[in-house]
Amino acid sequence: MRDDTPDETRRVHLSRSFDEDAELYDRARPGYPPELFDDLTEVAGTGPGCRVLEVGAGTGKATLPLAERGCRITAVELGADMAAVARRNLARFEAVEIVTADFETWPLPEEPFDAVVSATAFHWIDPAVRMAKAADALRPGGALAVVATQHVAGGSEEFFVEVQDCYERFDPATPPGLRLPAAVDVDTSDHADEVARSGRFGPVDFRRYEWDLTYTTAEYLAVLRTYSGHRALSPRAREGLLECIAGLIDRRYGGQVTKRYLTELRVSRTVPARR
Protein backbone atom coordinates (compact mmCIF):
# COMPACT_ATOMS: atom_id res chain seq x y z
CA MET A 1 0.00 0.00 0.00
CA ARG A 2 1.45 3.35 -1.07
CA ASP A 3 1.33 6.55 0.98
CA ASP A 4 0.04 8.59 -1.97
CA THR A 5 -2.90 6.36 -2.92
CA PRO A 6 -5.73 7.03 -0.44
CA ASP A 7 -8.86 4.90 -0.41
CA GLU A 8 -11.12 6.81 -2.80
CA THR A 9 -14.18 6.20 -0.59
CA ARG A 10 -12.44 8.07 2.28
CA ARG A 11 -10.30 10.55 0.31
CA VAL A 12 -12.42 13.66 0.94
CA HIS A 13 -12.92 12.91 4.65
CA LEU A 14 -9.26 12.14 5.28
CA SER A 15 -8.06 15.16 3.30
CA ARG A 16 -9.87 17.43 5.75
CA SER A 17 -8.29 15.89 8.85
CA PHE A 18 -5.01 17.83 8.52
CA ASP A 19 -6.68 21.12 9.38
CA GLU A 20 -7.71 19.84 12.84
CA ASP A 21 -4.31 20.69 14.31
CA ALA A 22 -2.40 22.91 11.88
CA GLU A 23 0.14 24.02 14.48
CA LEU A 24 1.11 20.41 15.23
CA TYR A 25 1.38 19.68 11.51
CA ASP A 26 3.66 22.67 11.01
CA ARG A 27 5.83 21.74 13.98
CA ALA A 28 6.06 17.98 13.44
CA ARG A 29 6.09 17.38 9.70
CA PRO A 30 9.49 17.41 7.97
CA GLY A 31 10.20 19.47 4.89
CA TYR A 32 11.85 18.21 1.70
CA PRO A 33 15.45 17.56 0.62
CA PRO A 34 17.16 20.76 -0.65
CA GLU A 35 18.35 18.95 -3.79
CA LEU A 36 14.71 18.46 -4.79
CA PHE A 37 14.31 22.22 -5.17
CA ASP A 38 17.59 22.43 -7.11
CA ASP A 39 16.24 19.81 -9.52
CA LEU A 40 12.87 21.56 -9.63
CA THR A 41 14.61 24.72 -10.80
CA GLU A 42 16.49 22.72 -13.42
CA VAL A 43 13.57 20.75 -14.89
CA ALA A 44 10.58 23.03 -14.18
CA GLY A 45 12.20 26.47 -14.25
CA THR A 46 11.14 27.47 -10.74
CA GLY A 47 13.73 30.21 -10.41
CA PRO A 48 13.48 33.97 -9.79
CA GLY A 49 10.30 35.46 -11.25
CA CYS A 50 8.68 32.13 -12.11
CA ARG A 51 4.92 32.32 -11.64
CA VAL A 52 3.90 29.27 -9.56
CA LEU A 53 0.49 27.90 -8.60
CA GLU A 54 0.89 25.63 -5.59
CA VAL A 55 -1.90 23.11 -4.99
CA GLY A 56 -2.41 22.00 -1.38
CA ALA A 57 0.18 24.23 0.24
CA GLY A 58 -0.50 23.08 3.80
CA THR A 59 1.50 25.24 6.20
CA GLY A 60 4.07 26.12 3.54
CA LYS A 61 6.61 23.31 3.78
CA ALA A 62 7.36 23.58 0.05
CA THR A 63 6.13 27.16 -0.39
CA LEU A 64 8.93 28.63 1.71
CA PRO A 65 11.84 27.11 -0.27
CA LEU A 66 10.16 28.18 -3.53
CA ALA A 67 9.69 31.72 -2.19
CA GLU A 68 13.32 31.82 -1.09
CA ARG A 69 14.29 31.01 -4.68
CA GLY A 70 12.41 34.07 -5.93
CA CYS A 71 9.20 32.50 -7.23
CA ARG A 72 5.96 34.46 -7.38
CA ILE A 73 3.46 32.09 -5.79
CA THR A 74 -0.29 31.72 -5.54
CA ALA A 75 -0.80 28.91 -3.03
CA VAL A 76 -4.21 27.28 -2.71
CA GLU A 77 -4.98 25.49 0.57
CA LEU A 78 -8.30 23.94 1.57
CA GLY A 79 -7.85 24.16 5.36
CA ALA A 80 -8.44 27.58 6.91
CA ASP A 81 -6.14 26.91 9.87
CA MET A 82 -3.40 25.46 7.65
CA ALA A 83 -3.67 28.51 5.39
CA ALA A 84 -3.41 30.84 8.38
CA VAL A 85 -0.17 29.18 9.50
CA ALA A 86 1.15 29.37 5.94
CA ARG A 87 0.43 33.10 5.80
CA ARG A 88 2.39 33.55 9.01
CA ASN A 89 5.30 31.48 7.71
CA LEU A 90 5.39 33.36 4.39
CA ALA A 91 4.58 36.84 5.73
CA ARG A 92 7.90 38.35 4.66
CA PHE A 93 7.41 37.43 1.00
CA GLU A 94 5.31 40.02 -0.83
CA ALA A 95 5.16 37.86 -3.95
CA VAL A 96 3.32 35.03 -2.15
CA GLU A 97 -0.46 34.88 -1.85
CA ILE A 98 -2.18 32.16 0.22
CA VAL A 99 -5.74 31.43 -0.95
CA THR A 100 -8.14 29.44 1.24
CA ALA A 101 -10.14 27.32 -1.22
CA ASP A 102 -10.42 23.85 -2.66
CA PHE A 103 -8.53 23.54 -5.91
CA GLU A 104 -11.36 21.68 -7.65
CA THR A 105 -13.77 24.64 -7.58
CA TRP A 106 -11.34 27.57 -7.27
CA PRO A 107 -11.67 29.80 -10.38
CA LEU A 108 -8.39 29.99 -12.26
CA PRO A 109 -7.02 33.49 -12.88
CA GLU A 110 -6.82 34.69 -16.48
CA GLU A 111 -3.02 34.91 -16.52
CA PRO A 112 -1.55 31.41 -16.87
CA PHE A 113 1.19 30.07 -14.62
CA ASP A 114 4.67 28.89 -15.53
CA ALA A 115 4.46 25.94 -13.13
CA VAL A 116 1.90 24.09 -11.03
CA VAL A 117 3.53 22.52 -7.97
CA SER A 118 1.90 20.13 -5.50
CA ALA A 119 3.95 18.67 -2.63
CA THR A 120 2.51 15.59 -0.91
CA ALA A 121 -0.98 16.84 -1.75
CA PHE A 122 -1.90 16.01 -5.35
CA HIS A 123 -3.30 12.59 -4.35
CA TRP A 124 -5.91 14.37 -2.20
CA ILE A 125 -7.30 16.25 -5.24
CA ASP A 126 -10.25 14.73 -7.11
CA PRO A 127 -8.73 12.45 -9.78
CA ALA A 128 -11.49 13.44 -12.21
CA VAL A 129 -10.36 17.07 -12.05
CA ARG A 130 -6.69 17.39 -11.15
CA MET A 131 -4.88 16.75 -14.45
CA ALA A 132 -7.17 18.81 -16.67
CA LYS A 133 -7.35 21.74 -14.26
CA ALA A 134 -3.57 21.76 -13.73
CA ALA A 135 -3.12 21.85 -17.51
CA ASP A 136 -5.70 24.64 -17.84
CA ALA A 137 -3.77 26.69 -15.28
CA LEU A 138 -0.49 26.51 -17.23
CA ARG A 139 0.92 28.44 -20.15
CA PRO A 140 1.92 26.40 -23.23
CA GLY A 141 4.96 24.35 -22.25
CA GLY A 142 4.36 25.04 -18.54
CA ALA A 143 5.38 22.41 -15.99
CA LEU A 144 3.33 20.26 -13.63
CA ALA A 145 5.57 19.22 -10.71
CA VAL A 146 4.16 16.67 -8.29
CA VAL A 147 6.12 15.72 -5.17
CA ALA A 148 5.23 12.44 -3.44
CA THR A 149 6.63 11.01 -0.21
CA GLN A 150 6.73 7.30 0.68
CA HIS A 151 7.78 5.48 3.84
CA VAL A 152 10.30 2.81 2.87
CA ALA A 153 12.51 0.18 4.49
CA GLY A 154 15.66 1.52 6.11
CA GLY A 155 16.71 3.43 9.19
CA SER A 156 15.71 1.54 12.34
CA GLU A 157 14.53 -1.44 10.31
CA GLU A 158 13.79 -3.81 13.19
CA PHE A 159 11.61 -1.21 14.88
CA PHE A 160 9.37 -0.96 11.83
CA VAL A 161 9.00 -4.73 11.84
CA GLU A 162 8.22 -4.92 15.56
CA VAL A 163 5.86 -1.94 15.59
CA GLN A 164 3.44 -3.81 13.33
CA ASP A 165 2.31 -5.74 16.42
CA CYS A 166 1.04 -2.42 17.86
CA TYR A 167 -0.81 -1.59 14.63
CA GLU A 168 -2.38 -5.03 14.36
CA ARG A 169 -3.55 -4.73 17.98
CA PHE A 170 -5.11 -1.27 17.77
CA ASP A 171 -5.95 -0.73 14.08
CA PRO A 172 -8.09 -3.54 12.65
CA ALA A 173 -7.47 -2.29 9.09
CA THR A 174 -3.77 -3.21 9.34
CA PRO A 175 -2.91 -6.14 7.05
CA PRO A 176 -1.19 -8.91 9.05
CA GLY A 177 2.57 -9.06 8.59
CA LEU A 178 2.73 -5.71 6.77
CA ARG A 179 6.29 -4.66 5.92
CA LEU A 180 7.70 -1.45 4.45
CA PRO A 181 8.89 -1.86 0.86
CA ALA A 182 12.44 -1.21 -0.29
CA ALA A 183 12.67 2.07 -2.19
CA VAL A 184 13.62 0.24 -5.37
CA ASP A 185 10.37 -1.75 -5.18
CA VAL A 186 8.06 1.27 -4.96
CA ASP A 187 6.30 1.42 -8.33
CA THR A 188 4.90 4.88 -9.12
CA SER A 189 4.33 4.35 -12.83
CA ASP A 190 0.62 4.93 -12.25
CA HIS A 191 1.38 8.66 -12.20
CA ALA A 192 2.93 8.48 -15.67
CA ASP A 193 -0.13 6.48 -16.80
CA GLU A 194 -2.48 9.16 -15.44
CA VAL A 195 -0.47 11.89 -17.14
CA ALA A 196 -0.57 10.01 -20.44
CA ARG A 197 -4.31 9.35 -20.20
CA SER A 198 -4.99 13.05 -19.72
CA GLY A 199 -3.55 13.83 -23.15
CA ARG A 200 -2.46 17.22 -21.81
CA PHE A 201 1.18 16.57 -20.86
CA GLY A 202 4.32 15.08 -22.32
CA PRO A 203 6.53 12.40 -20.73
CA VAL A 204 7.25 12.53 -16.99
CA ASP A 205 10.77 13.20 -15.68
CA PHE A 206 11.17 11.28 -12.39
CA ARG A 207 13.77 12.18 -9.77
CA ARG A 208 14.11 10.23 -6.46
CA TYR A 209 15.68 11.09 -3.11
CA GLU A 210 16.17 8.70 -0.18
CA TRP A 211 16.84 10.33 3.17
CA ASP A 212 16.78 9.46 6.87
CA LEU A 213 15.39 11.41 9.77
CA THR A 214 15.94 10.53 13.44
CA TYR A 215 13.12 11.17 15.92
CA THR A 216 12.94 11.09 19.70
CA THR A 217 9.95 9.22 21.09
CA ALA A 218 7.98 12.46 21.56
CA GLU A 219 8.90 13.73 18.09
CA TYR A 220 7.86 10.46 16.46
CA LEU A 221 4.52 10.40 18.26
CA ALA A 222 3.94 14.01 17.18
CA VAL A 223 4.48 13.23 13.51
CA LEU A 224 2.25 10.16 13.76
CA ARG A 225 -0.54 12.36 15.15
CA THR A 226 -0.46 14.33 11.87
CA TYR A 227 -1.11 11.31 9.62
CA SER A 228 -4.64 11.02 8.32
CA GLY A 229 -4.89 7.28 8.99
CA HIS A 230 -3.93 7.74 12.65
CA ARG A 231 -6.28 10.70 13.03
CA ALA A 232 -9.14 8.60 11.63
CA LEU A 233 -8.87 6.05 14.46
CA SER A 234 -11.14 6.36 17.48
CA PRO A 235 -9.49 8.38 20.29
CA ARG A 236 -9.20 5.26 22.45
CA ALA A 237 -7.58 3.19 19.69
CA ARG A 238 -5.27 6.04 18.68
CA GLU A 239 -4.02 6.66 22.20
CA GLY A 240 -3.57 2.94 22.79
CA LEU A 241 -1.58 2.67 19.57
CA LEU A 242 0.66 5.63 20.42
CA GLU A 243 1.24 4.34 23.96
CA CYS A 244 2.25 0.96 22.53
CA ILE A 245 4.64 2.61 20.05
CA ALA A 246 6.16 4.87 22.71
CA GLY A 247 6.79 1.91 25.00
CA LEU A 248 8.53 0.03 22.20
CA ILE A 249 10.81 2.96 21.31
CA ASP A 250 11.73 3.66 24.92
CA ARG A 251 12.17 0.03 25.93
CA ARG A 252 13.95 -1.39 22.88
CA TYR A 253 15.46 1.56 20.99
CA GLY A 254 16.84 3.93 23.62
CA GLY A 255 14.23 6.61 23.07
CA GLN A 256 14.86 7.32 19.38
CA VAL A 257 14.25 5.80 15.96
CA THR A 258 15.36 6.65 12.44
CA LYS A 259 12.82 6.70 9.62
CA ARG A 260 13.71 6.46 5.93
CA TYR A 261 11.75 8.51 3.44
CA LEU A 262 11.57 8.24 -0.32
CA THR A 263 10.66 11.55 -1.94
CA GLU A 264 9.90 11.57 -5.65
CA LEU A 265 9.71 14.57 -7.98
CA ARG A 266 7.57 14.06 -11.07
CA VAL A 267 7.69 16.78 -13.73
CA SER A 268 5.80 16.92 -17.03
CA ARG A 269 5.13 19.78 -19.45
CA THR A 270 1.93 20.71 -21.23
CA VAL A 271 1.32 19.80 -24.85
CA PRO A 272 -1.53 21.05 -27.10
CA ALA A 273 -4.86 19.51 -26.10
CA ARG A 274 -6.27 16.76 -28.31
CA ARG A 275 -8.93 17.75 -30.79
Side-chain angles (χ1 to χ4, degrees):
M1 183 176 179
R2 290 229 314 270
D3 301 301
D4 62 342
T5 53
D7 178 355
E8 187 58 26
T9 63
R10 304 172 72 207
R11 175 180 54 79
V12 173
H13 170 70
L14 292 176
S15 71
R16 284 160 169 74
S17 69
F18 302 108
D19 202 48
E20 295 169 358
D21 196 339
E23 294 289 354
L24 175 65
Y25 185 101
D26 189 53
R27 184 172 68 252
R29 281 289 183 107
Y32 300 95
E35 56 267 35
L36 180 150
F37 295 97
D38 295 338
D39 285 350
L40 193 54
T41 298
E42 176 192 334
V43 298
T46 52
C50 177
R51 191 160 183 265
V52 173
L53 169 61
E54 186 182 3
V55 178
T59 62
K61 295 288 182 180
T63 324
L64 183 59
L66 289 170
E68 290 173 338
R69 284 163 172 76
C71 296
R72 296 180 294 147
I73 305 168
T74 299
V76 178
E77 168 52 44
L78 172 65
D81 289 347
M82 298 278 271
V85 175
R87 289 188 190 98
R88 184 186 70 207
N89 290 340
L90 279 298
R92 71 181 189 274
F93 295 98
E94 294 183 0
V96 176
E97 178 189 13
I98 310 294
V99 177
T100 306
D102 66 274
F103 177 65
E104 291 91 337
T105 63
W106 178 66
L108 292 173
E110 289 187 13
E111 184 184 354
F113 293 88
D114 300 309
V116 171
V117 177
S118 186
T120 320
F122 204 62
H123 56 286
W124 295 118
I125 306 301
D126 186 347
V129 173
R130 59 195 180 202
M131 283 294 168
K133 189 156 187 179
D136 290 343
L138 288 164
R139 62 168 173 78
L144 169 63
V146 174
V147 179
T149 301
Q150 317 287 342
H151 306 299
V152 294
S156 304
E157 292 202 52
E158 279 304 307
F159 164 75
F160 291 101
V161 172
E162 293 188 69
V163 80
Q164 288 307 309
D165 290 340
C166 295
Y167 282 94
E168 290 180 27
R169 179 179 169 190
F170 290 100
D171 182 0
T174 302
L178 183 67
R179 296 292 181 265
L180 290 172
V184 70
D185 294 329
V186 175
D187 181 4
T188 57
S189 60
D190 57 324
H191 178 78
D193 294 340
E194 183 181 4
V195 168
R197 284 195 307 272
S198 76
R200 302 293 300 276
F201 296 93
V204 183
D205 186 343
F206 288 91
R207 306 283 176 99
R208 283 186 161 193
Y209 320 85
E210 286 184 62
W211 52 290
D212 291 348
L213 191 56
T214 298
Y215 294 95
T216 65
T217 303
E219 289 167 343
Y220 191 62
L221 295 190
V223 78
L224 291 181
R225 289 181 186 275
T226 71
Y227 292 154
S228 60
H230 293 68
R231 299 191 68 86
L233 295 172
S234 71
R236 183 176 180 180
R238 182 170 59 248
E239 293 311 310
L241 172 62
L242 295 177
E243 184 178 336
C244 182
I245 293 171
L248 178 62
I249 297 173
D250 288 339
R251 185 176 63 254
R252 297 266 290 145
Y253 295 90
Q256 68 176 36
V257 289
T258 299
K259 188 176 189 66
R260 178 159 298 172
Y261 293 93
L262 170 66
T263 299
E264 185 173 69
L265 173 62
R266 311 159 176 176
V267 178
S268 47
R269 290 189 174 274
T270 56
V271 297
R274 293 172 180 163
R275 297 297 180 187

